[in-house]
Amino acid sequence: MSLFDISRDVSSATFGSFLCAYTGQPFDTVKIKQGTNPFAMTAQIVKQEGISALWKGVVPTGMGMVLENACAFAVNEQLKRFFKKGDNYNDDNKNPAPNQNSNPNTMMNLLQHKLVQPFFIGAISGFTSALVLIPSEVIKSRTQMETKQGVGSWDIFKKMIKTGGAKTMFTGLDAQFARDIPFYMVFFGSYDALVYSGKQLFPNTNQEVVYFMSGGFAGMFSWAVAMPFDVPKTMVQTKWGGRVWGDYTPMFSKILRERGVRGLYAGLGPTLVRAFPANAALFLGVEMSKNWFDQLFG
């Protein structure tokens, strides 16, 4: 990986991350409050805490997104470059079928298939980004659950370090893996598939429109898949005194036992409503930044 590639990947992910954070944070705040009616919960938050409360935790969210997406997009792009060197990778204008003569290994051929490969790469990206994201996720979750006026992310951080040490920053690591691996698998996989399909079906459509729509739907698809893993993750990470590893499976089982399958989808409505604009903004920002970077330094 060259310095140009690293700079391009990180700068584009940074710009897209801030667009995503400020677009999606109000929806995320409503979701984490666990309200059954997102509109009533929004009104309650604004009435009790003020409209700025909808952006509670946006600073660690933005910082976390920059770190997460810089890692996720950098890993994703580098793996794409690695596979692109192989014979089985095809350009957008070619048939997406794998080259059967290049590798006798059926599994490798499958993983290098034009429409399968992004899902495989996305899963790896999810594993790596989970390690980077988790500290900001824990701080954000606990900040959003704090109802006292004037208590911010820095106060929560100091309290966490004082009460449990640095390891509290990694509370629910198993939960983070359980959500992020399937999330990013679908996130990057469906985005690439949608962009490819959009360009093939609507060749005269503005590329920015294709990126925007593909990013929005990719966000919705990935959250629909990851939501059952996200609900117990949130409950584990908002709980003070939680462990780094081992609380996720009992929490998952408890929710399933007490609330049924529907309990694992609590907050799905506002999550999907948030997913489209936030991730549309993310991918549009990333793609636009890549183009600007290439024009300036390419």
Side-chain angles (χ1 to χ4, degrees), residues 1 11 15 34 61 69 80 82 95 177 182 188 233 249 272:
M1 181 187 292
S11 61
F15 182 70
Q34 298 293 328
T61 298
N69 289 321
K80 284 182 179 179
F82 172 78
N95 192 313
F177 283 139
F188 285 119
K233 168 197 162 296
T249 301
L272 294 182

Side-chain angles (χ1 to χ4, degrees), residues 62-119:
M63 293 174 62
M65 280 188 176
V66 169
L67 293 172
E68 173 194 10
N69 289 321
C71 176
F73 278 87
V75 170
N76 192 265
E77 291 296 324
Q78 178 60 13
L79 287 172
K80 284 182 179 179
R81 294 182 191 109
F82 172 78
F83 280 105
K84 193 173 184 178
K85 295 177 182 177
D87 293 335
N88 291 357
Y89 193 95
N90 300 280
D91 294 331
D92 287 341
N93 295 326
K94 296 181 181 180
N95 192 313
N99 185 338
Q100 299 296 330
N101 297 321
S102 63
N103 195 324
N105 189 308
T106 303
M107 179 58 69
M108 286 303 298
N109 274 329
L110 178 63
L111 293 178
Q112 291 180 329
H113 191 289
K114 175 68 176 180
L115 298 181
V116 174
Q117 184 188 109
F119 290 89

Side-chain angles (χ1 to χ4, degrees), residues 21-250:
Y22 280 91
T23 302
Q25 188 66 17
F27 301 99
D28 201 32
T29 299
V30 172
K31 183 202 76 170
I32 207 167
K33 292 285 188 178
Q34 298 293 328
T36 56
N37 186 327
F39 300 104
M41 180 58 68
T42 301
Q44 180 181 332
I45 293 172
V46 172
K47 182 179 180 180
Q48 294 181 353
E49 304 176 50
I51 193 169
S52 62
L54 293 174
W55 280 271
K56 239 183 181 182
V58 73
V59 173
T61 298
M63 293 174 62
M65 280 188 176
V66 169
L67 293 172
E68 173 194 10
N69 289 321
C71 176
F73 278 87
V75 170
N76 192 265
E77 291 296 324
Q78 178 60 13
L79 287 172
K80 284 182 179 179
R81 294 182 191 109
F82 172 78
F83 280 105
K84 193 173 184 178
K85 295 177 182 177
D87 293 335
N88 291 357
Y89 193 95
N90 300 280
D91 294 331
D92 287 341
N93 295 326
K94 296 181 181 180
N95 192 313
N99 185 338
Q100 299 296 330
N101 297 321
S102 63
N103 195 324
N105 189 308
T106 303
M107 179 58 69
M108 286 303 298
N109 274 329
L110 178 63
L111 293 178
Q112 291 180 329
H113 191 289
K114 175 68 176 180
L115 298 181
V116 174
Q117 184 188 109
F119 290 89
F120 170 65
I121 293 175
I124 300 175
S125 303
F127 176 84
T128 57
S129 64
L131 294 171
V132 176
L133 175 66
I134 185 168
S136 65
E137 279 280 287
V138 176
I139 295 173
K140 180 193 73 173
S141 298
R142 295 183 181 180
T143 300
Q144 289 174 326
M145 291 301 293
E146 182 60 57
T147 58
K148 293 182 180 178
Q149 291 288 344
V151 177
S153 304
W154 179 246
D155 300 300
I156 297 297
F157 170 74
K158 290 189 294 183
K159 182 179 178 181
M160 288 171 57
I161 296 299
K162 183 178 180 180
T163 57
K167 69 177 182 180
T168 59
M169 303 291 290
F170 294 89
T171 300
L173 181 60
D174 51 349
Q176 199 75 38
F177 283 139
R179 186 200 69 177
D180 285 357
I181 292 174
F183 176 86
Y184 276 104
M185 180 179 70
V186 178
F187 188 63
F188 285 119
S190 61
Y191 175 74
D192 281 6
L194 288 167
V195 169
Y196 176 85
S197 301
K199 289 181 177 180
Q200 295 297 311
L201 295 173
F202 309 102
N204 297 323
T205 302
N206 188 288
Q207 285 194 90
E208 283 71 22
V209 175
V210 175
Y211 297 145
F212 184 87
M213 298 300 295
S214 298
F217 283 115
M220 293 183 73
F221 294 156
S222 55
W223 273 113
V225 170
M227 193 67 194
F229 309 106
D230 183 64
V231 171
K233 168 197 162 296
T234 300
M235 297 184 72
V236 166
Q237 292 182 336
T238 54
K239 178 184 176 183
W240 290 87
R243 295 180 292 174
V244 172
W245 196 280
D247 289 340
Y248 178 72
T249 301

